[in-house]
Amino acid sequence: MPHISDMSHMSEMDRRTFLRAGAAAGAFVTLGGCAAPGGDSGLAAGAGAGGVPDFVLDEITIDEVHEGMRTGEYTCRSITEMYLERIEALNRRGPRLFAVLEVNPDALEIADELDREFQTSGPRGPLHGIPVLLKDNIDTADGMTTTAGSTALRGSIAPRDSFVAAGLRRAGALLLGKANMSEWAGWKSFEFGASGWSGRGWDGGRGGFCSNPYALDRTPGGSSSGSGASAAANLAVAAIGSETDGSIVGPSSRNCLVGIKPTIGLHSRGGVIPIAHSQDSTGPMARTVRDAAIMLGTMVGVDPRDPLTAASAGNFQTDYTGALDPGGLSGARLGVLREYAGFDSRVDALFEEALDAMRAEGATVVDPVALPEELRFGNEYEMEVLYHEFKADLNAYLASLGPGAPIKSLAELIEYNEANHDLELALYGQELHVRSQERGPLTDQRYLDALAASHRLSRDEGIDRAMDEHRLDALVGITAGIPALQDPLDASGGGGGGCSTPPAMAAYPNMSVPMGFIGGLPIGMSLCGRAWSEATLVRLAYAFEQATNHRRPPTFQASVQV
């Protein structure tokens, strides 16, 4: 069997066969103990890795789906049916991932219409017939609800598509379902420890504790936990997550995915349940850089609902695949965020191997590059911005739902949680909600000073200064540490560093790409840079991916020892 890094000569079909074989060979713990007490494990005879049934679409790419549709091997309906069956087998049965909250009740009818369109007029766009899962904070005006994982919004159906969902539909994507998430994107309690926990599932509904498909007792990362676990476990071709600080790149690292958190304003937040407009963004989470790049360009554009998208005019691309250069590291200058490492020697060793791989591809590595100390792992300026903006932005979102909204303000949300303690406050409090409600309007000097300090530290004295001083194409660091055991009372998420905060505060792009494994658990590497530098990051990430080929499908093990 060839080494996983020696796959450039393989066809796409051979590549997927090899990946499945490698995963099966690495599985050493079955899922017998993972079923609900007294329940059916849902495991099929003759199953593959970790007892999970083999899947004909395992690790399939967008290009492979389209080739199969052109040759007649697949139709949009047949692909959709297979993914629906896969979700049924793995989400609440078998490994019980709890990664998907609901599926689109009209999925098969939509698939039929996409098949008719394909036959009569050809593909609608670059995602024609591609099943995609969306995080449960992204509005879709269809048969699916959008709740941010909260029972307070149970039954809420948006009056119109989010800008992101509309872009995906225009590109031909089939919106397959809503992915589980940390409730309110984790902005509820300092003690919030379980990625993917939501009140929506705590009452025996469709949520639950989302699991990492590489080891079911480990965190998949938050808050886009369901998007990460779903894309990794092949419950869809890809997924959409959202990030305020680490919530796309973190789950991507922990699920061996490529995740892109764009520049703020590249993707509209219109119709996305917010934390803070200064840092919120949606972005693709996929198994390959190419798939992520294809998806990235389908959601761009200026949207009157999001004033910050005006700055993207002239800066966005509708097709980022032109940046996919296997030699893209040659001549690049990369600055190492060394201060964001040093927390786990095993993770650091993988990082050193990644730096060596990039040097071997012709990159110049500047090591170290320093950023202001205040940017490390959150700070008072970031928190103050989030407190103020959550109140203002959530109230604006709830108003957009119209008079029929289940709740109409942050104040009502706090009251609802108190009145439904067993559903919403049994494990965690809501001190972040309360502190946000105590803040004043966005004209308060306290907020304005915090936002100015945040941008000064992260931009003028941070990323921009470092890149100018060292003439860099990007900064590189460890995305996240080893996925931690899923502990409802431990919010650490795992050690090993992480560098999401500087680009989050700066509103600049950040991209995670698989860097390797420790004990069967994935670790990611981050590339971040200036505003609107997504094409540069895609180029660098693609060259690294092609040189290393670290992506492996999950093994669905009950537990691993690291």
Side-chain angles (χ1 to χ4, degrees):
M1 179 179 292
H3 190 273
I4 198 163
S5 65
D6 298 327
M7 295 167 57
S8 59
H9 64 286
M10 295 184 178
S11 70
E12 287 297 321
M13 287 295 187
D14 288 340
R15 180 185 63 83
R16 291 196 284 117
T17 301
F18 173 71
L19 288 171
R20 286 198 299 268
F28 58 89
V29 179
T30 65
L31 294 172
C34 293
D40 179 8
S41 69
L43 304 184
V52 171
D54 288 333
F55 185 47
V56 69
L57 301 179
D58 207 34
E59 299 293 292
I60 200 167
T61 66
I62 293 171
D63 290 340
E64 289 173 343
V65 171
H66 286 161
E67 179 61 23
M69 292 175 68
R70 282 191 289 269
T71 63
E73 180 182 4
Y74 303 133
T75 63
C76 185
R77 184 182 180 93
S78 71
I79 292 166
T80 302
E81 287 176 337
M82 284 188 276
Y83 278 117
L84 291 173
E85 291 170 2
R86 176 79 166 179
I87 292 169
E88 176 67 21
L90 271 62
N91 195 54
R92 297 190 65 82
R93 302 174 65 234
R96 295 167 58 84
L97 294 176
F98 296 118
V100 179
L101 291 173
E102 63 180 297
V103 296
N104 192 332
D106 302 316
L108 294 179
E109 288 79 3
I110 295 170
D112 288 340
E113 177 58 33
L114 286 167
D115 280 331
R116 286 190 290 271
E117 186 176 333
F118 186 80
Q119 291 298 322
T120 59
S121 57
R124 183 184 305 175
L127 297 178
H128 191 101
I130 301 298
V132 174
L133 288 162
L134 282 72
K135 188 173 177 179
D136 187 43
N137 60 349
I138 301 173
D139 281 353
T140 55
D142 49 24
M144 296 186 288
T145 60
T146 307
T147 73
S150 173
T151 62
L153 289 178
R154 184 164 37 195
S156 178
I157 294 181
R160 60 184 292 195
D161 271 347
S162 62
F163 190 87
V164 165
L168 291 168
R169 292 191 206 272
R170 284 194 302 273
L174 189 151
L175 306 187
L176 186 63
K178 294 294 180 75
N180 202 358
M181 60 180 287
S182 305
E183 186 176 343
W184 298 108
W187 190 257
K188 186 175 181 181
S189 171
F190 286 113
E191 299 175 346
F192 204 88
S195 299
W197 181 91
S198 57
R200 191 173 170 184
W202 184 246
D203 64 350
R206 292 167 288 179
F209 288 98
C210 186
S211 295
N212 188 315
Y214 289 86
L216 300 172
D217 61 349
R218 298 272 169 170
T219 176
S223 65
S224 303
S225 49
S227 298
S230 294
N234 290 273
L235 304 188
V237 176
I240 305 298
S242 72
E243 173 163 333
T244 306
D245 186 339
S247 293
I248 289 175
V249 295
S252 294
S253 173
R254 295 178 176 96
N255 289 278
C256 202
L257 296 173
V258 176
I260 304 176
K261 192 280 291 187
T263 305
I264 301 306
L266 189 75
H267 289 174
S268 169
R269 282 75 54 82
V272 179
I273 300 177
I275 291 181
H277 63 266
S278 292
Q279 294 187 196
D280 289 351
S281 183
T282 62
M285 301 171 70
R287 294 182 291 270
T288 68
V289 174
R290 179 172 175 82
D291 280 2
I294 291 170
M295 296 176 68
L296 181 67
T298 66
M299 296 176 278
V300 301
V302 176
D303 179 11
R305 286 190 287 174
D306 183 351
L308 292 184
T309 60
S312 73
N315 287 309
F316 67 73
Q317 299 179 27
T318 57
D319 183 0
Y320 285 89
T321 60
L324 300 173
D325 178 5
L329 281 164
S330 179
R333 291 181 59 84
L334 306 174
V336 178
L337 296 175
R338 183 63 62 181
E339 293 176 337
Y340 295 81
F343 295 85
D344 188 303
S345 60
R346 298 164 297 178
V347 177
D348 291 345
L350 276 186
F351 188 41
E352 295 306 319
E353 292 176 7
L355 296 176
D356 286 342
M358 290 188 286
R359 290 188 186 99
E361 292 298 309
T364 296
V365 175
V366 180
D367 186 5
V369 169
L371 297 179
E373 176 67 23
E374 294 95 328
L375 296 181
R376 298 184 75 210
F377 315 120
N379 53 74
E380 62 180 305
Y381 306 114
E382 181 181 31
M383 291 297 292
E384 201 58 57
V385 169
L386 302 191
Y387 283 137
H388 279 83
E389 292 189 0
F390 180 70
K391 179 181 180 179
D393 294 354
L394 181 63
N395 286 341
Y397 171 81
L398 294 172
S400 76
L401 298 178
I407 55 171
K408 297 177 175 59
S409 67
L410 174 57
E412 286 191 17
L413 171 61
I414 293 170
E415 293 174 1
Y416 172 88
N417 289 340
E418 292 289 351
N420 294 272
H421 189 280
D422 289 347
L423 291 179
E424 290 294 341
L425 302 178
L427 290 181
Y428 310 107
Q430 57 173 339
E431 61 270 21
L432 293 177
H433 287 178
V434 172
R435 292 190 185 190
S436 296
Q437 178 61 24
E438 292 170 348
R439 279 1 188 227
L442 299 186
T443 54
D444 276 6
Q445 197 62 44
R446 184 179 182 182
Y447 164 73
L448 296 174
D449 289 346
L451 183 61
S454 179
H455 287 167
R456 172 179 56 81
L457 288 166
S458 60
R459 296 176 181 178
D460 303 340
E461 300 174 14
I463 293 173
D464 291 334
R465 180 202 58 77
M467 296 189 70
D468 286 341
E469 180 179 333
H470 299 286
R471 297 175 288 112
L472 301 175
D473 295 287
L475 297 166
V476 60
I478 296 166
T479 306
I482 298 171
L485 291 168
Q486 186 73 287
D487 183 350
L489 302 181
D490 179 7
S492 67
C499 59
S500 65
T501 295
M505 291 174 61
Y508 288 177
N510 191 10
M511 184 170 182
S512 185
V513 63
M515 184 171 71
F517 289 80
I518 296 173
L521 298 172
I523 308 292
M525 181 187 77
S526 277
L527 293 156
C528 65
R530 303 178 189 274
W532 320 115
S533 64
E534 284 80 6
T536 297
L537 302 186
V538 166
R539 172 173 58 84
L540 299 172
Y542 183 73
F544 178 77
E545 173 196 60
Q546 295 302 297
T548 59
N549 285 296
H550 285 305
R551 167 68 193 175
R552 299 205 306 261
T555 53
F556 303 97
Q557 299 180 54
S559 183
V560 298
Q561 297 297 319
V562 294

